[in-house]
Amino acid sequence: MLMSRSVASAVSQVSSSTSSLLPNSKQLFSFKTLSGYRSSSFCGGSIRKVNHKPLQMTSSSMTPRAMASKQLENADQLIDSIETFIFDCDGVIWKGDKLIEGVPETLDMLRAKGKRLVFVTNNSTKSRKQYGKKFETLGLNVNEEEIFASSFAAAAYLQSINFPKDKKVYVIGEEGILKELELAGFQYLGGPDDGKKQIELKPGFLMEHEHDVGAVVVGFDRYFNYYKIQYGTLCIRENPGCLFIATNRDAVTHLTDAQEWAGGGSMVGALVGSTQREPLVVGKPSTFMMDYLADKFGIQKSQICMVGDRLDTDILFGQNGGCKTLLVLSGVTSISMLESPDNKIQPDFYTSKISDFLSPKAATV
């Protein structure tokens, strides 16, 4: 896959954190300074350090904005200033399998104004094609090229670092990751099938694992079990140079519209605990997907508005990417959470739901 200099640079920034993933590494990941490891140097089960100065990240790119956010009062003014709207899905477009009120009319209005719409989700259970079918089922006309799920981001990241095709990927996750890896031409094992496997602990039992696994990808997994934890742990700890990749670290997710459910971060956390290693995160709030999107569509980030319901993923994702941000209160975040003295992440604007775009004067929250 050919990539421009901007995305290649972004990938180098993201992949540089893999220095902290090496078994013998004493250096921990720092948001202030990322030591340089060129991901394209991954070969023969190792990552080669290259000689260049550490990348200094500016506070504006990695630190939440401190100033208080404003309630969206003039929707037209914001719309006119933006070329591309990036929408989170869960809690913004739908909750579970239920469409949020006013979404179809809002999307139609934005398209009629010539706005580009992109849909980004940290949920890795579906591929882009499968998400396309979900949009269709909900009566929304969205094509596959407008959808970016963290399942796709995992495969795209492996492509961007020239992950060796003779290496395998062990998947702790669901079908979406498997389908995207297959489309990208990578060998994989694990996934839902390993959810049926059990370990019979008895004296002298040694669990075997494949030594040609070069990456472990962890996403949301309803079939999570101890077998997967142990298999992934063995690969990460014992296979030289094995990458530990997380699709996201979301604490909760919306499986239904009735309540919040434990998110992909709970599965990732189990592997963090057993390996004592931090993962490379390809989903929000990592800037990998933002840089990929900006390069793919040729978008200036100042012309992008990220719309989401989570402060620590969606809004931070937009801020890290240098975009405008709009928080909607139709999902995880409440007004009390936004205004809490403990909250340090402030969006540019907030409103109750995206259908407030339909009114020149947004509804009072």
Side-chain angles (χ1 to χ4, degrees), residues 153-320:
Y157 176 75
L158 290 172
Q159 283 185 317
S160 74
I161 64 170
N162 296 320
F163 183 76
K165 291 298 179 74
D166 61 343
K167 291 282 185 178
K168 295 178 182 178
V169 180
Y170 182 68
V171 177
I172 299 176
E174 299 193 16
E175 190 177 5
I177 300 174
L178 304 185
K179 286 186 175 296
E180 293 293 356
L181 289 174
E182 184 176 1
L183 286 171
F186 293 116
Q187 302 179 68
Y188 61 83
L189 64 157
D193 286 347
D194 279 4
K196 305 170 185 177
K197 296 180 180 178
Q198 297 181 345
I199 298 175
E200 183 182 352
L201 296 176
K202 53 187 177 183
F205 176 74
L206 175 70
M207 183 174 177
E208 300 288 348
H209 74 284
E210 293 198 27
H211 295 279
D212 56 354
V213 171
V216 175
V217 175
V218 184
F220 180 78
D221 190 346
R222 287 169 291 187
Y223 312 99
F224 193 61
N225 60 13
Y226 189 67
Y227 179 93
K228 295 183 179 185
I229 296 175
Q230 178 64 5
Y231 199 100
T233 298
L234 290 172
C235 292
I236 293 169
R237 294 181 64 175
E238 298 186 8
N239 291 2
C242 184
L243 301 174
F244 177 15
I245 298 172
T247 60
N248 69 83
R249 299 188 77 165
D250 292 355
V252 297
T253 188
H254 290 118
L255 298 180
T256 69
D257 62 348
Q259 65 179 166
E260 293 178 348
W261 299 78
S266 59
M267 292 82 193
V268 175
L271 271 292
V272 170
S274 62
T275 63
Q276 293 297 289
R277 298 256 295 274
E278 290 296 318
L280 187 151
V281 180
V282 294
K284 298 173 292 184
S286 162
T287 59
F288 175 72
M289 281 201 290
M290 181 70 75
D291 293 313
Y292 186 95
L293 287 168
D295 181 74
K296 177 180 175 64
F297 293 115
I299 314 168
Q300 291 185 354
K301 294 179 182 178
S302 61
Q303 293 294 306
I304 299 174
C305 181
M306 175 65 209
V307 183
D309 69 315
R310 295 174 184 264
L311 293 166
D312 60 347
T313 54
D314 302 325
I315 302 306
L316 194 55
F317 173 64
Q319 291 179 354
N320 287 346

Side-chain angles (χ1 to χ4, degrees), residues 13 30-34 55-62 287:
Q13 294 176 21
S30 168
F31 280 109
K32 295 181 180 178
T33 303
L34 300 180
L55 175 67
Q56 299 293 333
M57 302 300 288
T58 63
S59 59
S60 62
S61 65
M62 296 303 293
T287 59

